[in-house]
Amino acid sequence: MILDERFLAARVRGRGVSVLSSCSHAGVVNAALGALGAFGGEPIDVILGGYHLAGEGMEPRIEPTVHDLANRVRPRVVAPGHCTGWRAKAALAHAFAPGNYGPSVVGSLYALRAT
């Protein structure tokens, strides 16, 4: 059991908090909740990076993760990357697309501009 997670979170003026996760071994929801706590509950704009939901052993975590992201964290955009897995990406796309899902693959470019 991993109780802590490494992630980068930054307040982007006019957008909220951007969360850049590495691999989210402790859970992307835990990383996002940590960012919410660190920034006084300011809304999460985007969660970009690995969600660590790939593989058969992680499949039971997909549904609760999608539910908690949608109902507890409520980011404007989810952008799952490398270790999320195609099943989790499909579930996230179903819950957040079209307007709140951004695929993150090699070569993706996200410009997080302050307003």
Side-chain angles (χ1 to χ4, degrees), residues 59-71:
E59 286 182 20
R61 298 175 99 190
I62 293 172
E63 185 179 333
T65 297
V66 172
H67 177 270
D68 284 350
L69 287 173
N71 296 293

Side-chain angles (χ1 to χ4, degrees), residues 2-27:
I2 299 171
L3 299 177
D4 65 347
E5 185 60 61
R6 287 172 175 71
F7 62 90
L8 172 68
R11 181 181 296 120
V12 179
R13 186 178 58 244
R15 297 189 63 95
V17 176
S18 295
V19 179
L20 308 176
S21 68
S22 53
C23 220
S24 296
H25 289 149

